[in-house]
Amino acid sequence: MKTLLHPTRAVALAFLFAIVTGTVLLLLPLSHATAGEVPWLTAFFTAVSAVCVTGLVVVDTGTYWSTFGQTVIMVLFQIGGFGMMTAATLLGLMVNRSLRLRTKLITQVETHALGLGDVSSVARLVLVTTFASECLIATLLTLRLHVSHGLPWGEAAWSGLFHAVSAFNNAGFSIYPDSLMRYAGDALILLPVMVAIIVGGIGFPVLHDLRTKWHDPRHWSLHTKLTLSATAILLVGGAATLLAMEWSNPKTLGPMSIPGKLLAAAFASVSARTAGFNAIDIGALTHESWALHYFLMFVGGGSAGTAGGVKVGTVAILLMLVVAEIRGLSDSEGFGRRVSHSAQRQAITVLVLGSAMVVVGTLFILRGSDIPTDQVIFEVISAFGTVGLSTGITADLPESGQLMLTLLMYVGRVGTITLAASLALGERRMPYRYPEEHPIVG
């Protein structure tokens, strides 16, 4: 009898296959900007970072890799953000005009479509939204870079396209060594990038809900309402907190004008939630701002989008559970809806395992290096949350530390998704129940 691969395993293996393929392509001499071989770890780390839409790098993307190598990297984070099985689904739709049940199940794992009937429409929405957004942002950036910053049309077009695709996929890769710091005061560069990050990171199920019910917010799903409200709170709260902490810092916001400070703080708040671009020097932030980034990076963006982290929906469900417990309610409620107990269990499991990965990764890297603990924590959370922000220590880590970061990036991009999906798909009713007791808590 033919053994069928579980959908969650199929997704994980698809990402692994893309990483291996990307590594092989980056090892080619054609990918290197200068003569000489590319170290295997450099190619592997870059491929993992690209496929997992993280953005952490051990070499400068713009000078180390050739145009071919940069194109490979861009294709990898496009595929990584777009989704392995979503791409396969669209290919199947174009060829057969229909989907097998198993293909729908595998795609449902990655897109978090609410029902088998939604898979095709969500997959098409992913395609249209992705390319429409990327083309629009790329056009705006190209025009701005050519007209206002004097870049030749060819260079402006390549930079605009690369950064548009990177932004929408929350990849954080930049062909500039200072990321976007050179454009820190240019709203017409940073604002389009911010829009691309938010649209890509909010999650395709939310976009699907907004597209079909945009005129009637009362009928939006609880997931959509939680994601949008939590995203707004984190973006505004993150920017306000960063302004308070960095307002007078001479190495970050201090020298900027008031509009410049507001723009840079807003961009940092948006980017910290898995995008990985920076318009101010991350290494020069205060320790309090690093701690803020720990939280924003760990939470991440919306489910089933291009963002990473444990997801805002997960944190929102846990906060609702805490509020219900404090108020003595038996159910967690929000927006006139009750959260299922299975969703609560899944949220707790994702948070606990995500926290465990961060702790294990931090301890492992600290054991093999003498880098300050706060910088290691920043790097680990950035890798697990597939953010890509760094205090500048990535290239200085020993090989074992860099390999740990690749594992964290892979788990962050694939693990929490497959975990939540496997919990949902594997849920079953037991034919018996044990006697109940109440252990002491707190």
Side-chain angles (χ1 to χ4, degrees):
M1 179 181 294
K2 184 178 179 179
T3 302
L4 295 177
L5 190 64
H6 192 280
T8 55
R9 293 180 181 175
V11 171
L13 289 175
F15 275 93
L16 188 60
F17 175 77
I19 290 171
V20 173
T21 303
T23 302
V24 172
L25 290 174
L26 290 177
L27 284 172
L28 297 176
L30 185 61
S31 297
H32 199 198
T34 58
E37 296 183 355
V38 177
W40 75 269
L41 183 57
T42 299
F44 177 68
F45 189 98
T46 304
V48 173
S49 184
V51 173
C52 297
V53 290
T54 304
L56 286 175
V57 294
V58 291
V59 292
D60 177 46
T61 303
T63 57
Y64 189 87
W65 303 106
S66 65
T67 301
F68 175 80
Q70 293 174 26
T71 303
V72 169
I73 293 171
M74 184 176 69
V75 171
L76 288 177
F77 59 64
Q78 175 72 87
I79 293 175
F82 192 69
M84 304 298 161
M85 303 318 299
T86 305
T89 297
L90 289 168
L91 181 61
L93 285 173
M94 289 187 290
V95 174
N96 298 320
R97 301 287 182 179
S98 63
L99 294 173
R100 286 184 171 184
L101 175 63
R102 182 152 193 81
T103 303
K104 287 186 176 183
L105 284 172
I106 295 175
T107 307
Q108 187 177 357
V109 167
E110 194 168 56
T111 62
H112 289 210
L114 301 181
L116 292 178
D118 296 324
V119 170
S120 300
S121 60
V122 171
R124 290 189 179 95
L125 176 67
V126 171
L127 176 66
V128 172
T129 304
T130 297
F131 289 110
S133 300
E134 290 174 355
C135 288
L136 176 60
I137 300 301
T139 301
L140 294 175
L141 293 179
T142 298
L143 292 173
R144 183 63 175 175
L145 290 171
H146 175 73
V147 173
S148 299
H149 294 278
L151 271 66
W153 276 114
E155 185 179 344
W158 174 243
S159 179
L161 176 64
F162 189 94
H163 289 95
V165 176
S166 182
F168 183 83
N169 289 285
N170 281 218
F173 276 89
S174 175
I175 57 177
Y176 303 125
D178 61 353
S179 190
L180 296 180
M181 288 177 60
R182 64 186 62 191
Y183 304 119
D186 192 337
L188 295 182
I189 293 289
L190 298 189
L191 288 177
V193 172
M194 290 167 62
V195 171
I197 292 170
I198 294 173
V199 174
I202 207 169
F204 291 110
V206 173
L207 295 178
H208 182 259
D209 208 12
L210 294 177
R211 182 178 70 89
T212 56
K213 306 171 186 176
W214 64 270
H215 58 285
D216 192 5
R218 294 176 301 173
H219 291 87
W220 290 352
S221 68
L222 178 59
H223 169 74
T224 296
K225 293 177 181 178
L226 289 177
T227 300
L228 292 178
S229 57
T231 296
I233 292 172
L234 288 175
L235 292 182
V236 175
T241 305
L242 195 64
L243 277 172
M245 293 177 176
E246 298 293 327
W247 187 271
S248 301
N249 187 342
K251 297 181 180 179
T252 55
L253 300 184
M256 297 182 180
S257 64
I258 292 179
K261 291 179 179 180
L262 295 175
L263 176 64
F267 184 84
S269 181
V270 170
S271 186
R273 304 203 25 256
T274 83
F277 291 110
N278 61 286
I280 54 177
D281 186 1
I282 299 298
L285 292 174
T286 63
H287 292 279
E288 295 83 1
S289 295
W290 280 355
L292 172 65
H293 277 71
Y294 296 165
F295 174 72
L296 294 177
M297 293 190 299
F298 186 73
V299 173
S303 299
T306 60
V310 296
K311 306 298 190 296
V312 292
T314 301
V315 175
I317 290 173
L318 292 173
L319 288 176
M320 292 165 63
L321 177 60
V322 171
V323 172
E325 186 64 29
I326 292 174
R327 296 176 60 189
L329 302 177
S330 58
D331 296 322
S332 297
E333 303 169 347
F335 297 100
R337 292 292 185 270
R338 174 169 51 88
V339 180
S340 67
H341 291 293
S342 61
Q344 296 175 31
R345 293 198 307 270
Q346 291 168 22
I348 293 172
T349 304
V350 168
L351 182 70
V352 170
L353 292 184
S355 302
M357 287 299 301
V358 169
V359 171
V360 171
T362 301
L363 293 176
F364 182 88
I365 294 178
L366 285 175
R367 181 177 175 84
S369 68
D370 56 357
I371 297 174
T373 303
D374 51 359
Q375 290 183 284
V376 171
I377 294 174
F378 192 104
E379 206 81 4
V380 166
I381 297 178
S382 179
F384 174 76
T386 68
V387 181
L389 292 175
S390 174
T391 59
I393 66 170
T394 310
D396 298 328
L397 291 172
E399 289 190 357
S400 59
Q402 293 179 4
L403 288 173
M404 171 55 72
L405 291 184
T406 62
L407 175 62
L408 290 168
M409 288 188 282
Y410 180 75
V411 173
R413 182 66 180 99
V414 177
T416 54
I417 298 173
T418 55
L419 170 65
S422 62
L423 288 172
L425 292 172
E427 186 176 358
R428 58 192 176 93
R429 294 185 179 276
M430 299 296 291
Y432 58 86
R433 300 181 73 183
Y434 289 110
E436 184 178 277
E437 283 197 26
H438 295 277
I440 299 174
V441 177

